[in-house]
Amino acid sequence: MKLTIVGCSGSFPGPSSPASCYLLTAHDGVRPWRVLIDLGSGALGAVQKYMDLEDIDAIFLSHLHPDHCMDLCGLHVAVRWNPDGWQRGKIPVWGPAETADRLATAYGLELDPGMREEFDFINWQEREPVTVGPFKVTPYSVNHPTPEAYALRVEVTEYDGTGMDRTVVLTYSGDTDACQGLEDAAQDAHLFLCEAAFEEGRDDHIKDVHLTGKRAGEAAARANVKRLLLTHIPVWTDTNKVVAEARGVFDRDVAAAVAGVHYTI
């Protein structure tokens, strides 16, 4: 499985990155499959550096804050108004129950049909996995101030034709403070893509919103993950500081996500 960091800026786009968006690519033995986790502010333009929009097999939304979903409005335009026609049919979108209505409202559409002619909206069910091609994605409720927020556990078994099949796990935290759901989602993951929007000593008085680098590292250690990749770092948070916080409590590989970088899992 390949992870491409399309956007990793926390809360809003930064000067060097869109807001949250991650492209996952894996092969099922027949063809490559491409899915997006989140499609936040500014991400739609950057996605097109890496793929044709008609090659999106599915979109998985962690929650409905604009920095994680709002560029679906632009994708709606790309699907509906392409003068050459859209060849792939509706794009499946998994997300919270309010996803369809929230996006229709954001674009000023009537709720019926809203964007249902372009997207096939499917509601997450807590800890019930869904399968798209080689991807199995399971949502875990996490601790963030919105009616539904999820960490996503992505499992992929890739087939090399020799019988030496291998299953790998990526866990994406979404936005969350420390909670059991996050640790359950990340258990034994090969790569833990985890937010670290807050700094120790500066943001400790803000509860139930975001993780610090230290709290992300503690969650990674308790979940026994192999690698920790910090993301969703806003422009006003010091990347070096949150990485150092995480390294102080997690003794395996720690790095910060950078837009445009690819990782093999």
Side-chain angles (χ1 to χ4, degrees), residues 50-226:
Y50 312 109
M51 64 183 300
D52 189 297
L53 295 179
E54 288 196 354
D55 289 334
I56 299 171
D57 288 302
I59 299 171
F60 303 108
L61 300 179
S62 63
H63 65 293
L64 296 180
H65 284 155
D67 59 316
H68 293 261
C69 71
M70 199 48 62
D71 268 25
L72 276 159
C73 290
L75 184 57
H76 152 78
V77 174
V79 176
R80 184 172 183 81
W81 297 107
N82 186 333
D84 296 322
W86 185 263
Q87 306 303 316
R88 285 291 302 274
K90 296 181 181 181
I91 301 173
V93 177
W94 274 267
E98 295 181 0
T99 301
D101 288 353
R102 183 76 64 85
L103 291 170
T105 299
Y107 202 81
L109 301 173
E110 296 292 333
L111 298 186
D112 186 10
M115 297 182 184
R116 291 181 177 86
E117 295 176 347
E118 294 74 43
F119 304 123
D120 181 14
F121 293 104
I122 307 147
N123 298 340
W124 289 125
Q125 301 298 322
E126 162 73 359
R127 303 200 183 203
E128 291 190 11
V130 301
T131 300
V132 175
F135 298 97
K136 184 173 79 171
V137 183
T138 306
Y140 290 74
S141 291
V142 290
N143 184 15
H144 193 60
T146 186
E148 291 183 64
Y150 297 99
L152 303 179
R153 182 181 179 89
V154 182
E155 299 173 69
V156 168
T157 300
E158 295 191 279
Y159 305 94
D160 63 6
T162 67
M164 299 296 289
D165 305 333
R166 177 172 179 262
T167 299
V168 295
V169 177
L170 175 146
T171 295
Y172 170 54
S173 68
D175 283 4
T176 182
D177 201 348
C179 64
Q180 189 61 50
L182 177 65
E183 294 178 24
D184 291 348
Q187 189 65 45
D188 299 321
H190 295 87
L191 180 64
F192 186 22
L193 181 62
C194 187
E195 72 118 288
F198 283 172
E199 291 181 12
E200 290 288 319
R202 185 191 70 185
D203 305 306
D204 295 358
H205 63 291
I206 307 173
K207 305 299 182 184
D208 305 320
V209 181
H210 289 299
L211 295 161
T212 63
K214 179 182 178 182
R215 295 203 293 268
E218 290 170 341
R222 285 193 290 265
N224 191 40
V225 306
K226 308 300 186 293

Side-chain angles (χ1 to χ4, degrees), residues 19-34:
S20 295
C21 183
Y22 309 93
L23 168 62
L24 296 180
T25 306
H27 207 285
D28 68 350
V30 178
R31 70 169 179 92
W33 290 71
R34 302 172 182 88

Side-chain angles (χ1 to χ4, degrees), residues 3-9 16-17 21-22 191-194 228-233 239 242-243 254-261 263:
L3 164 67
T4 300
I5 308 297
V6 178
C8 54
S9 182
S16 59
S17 175
C21 183
Y22 309 93
L191 180 64
F192 186 22
L193 181 62
C194 187
L228 174 60
L229 186 62
L230 300 179
T231 191
H232 196 276
I233 301 172
T239 298
V242 294
V243 168
V254 181
V258 176
V261 174
Y263 299 84

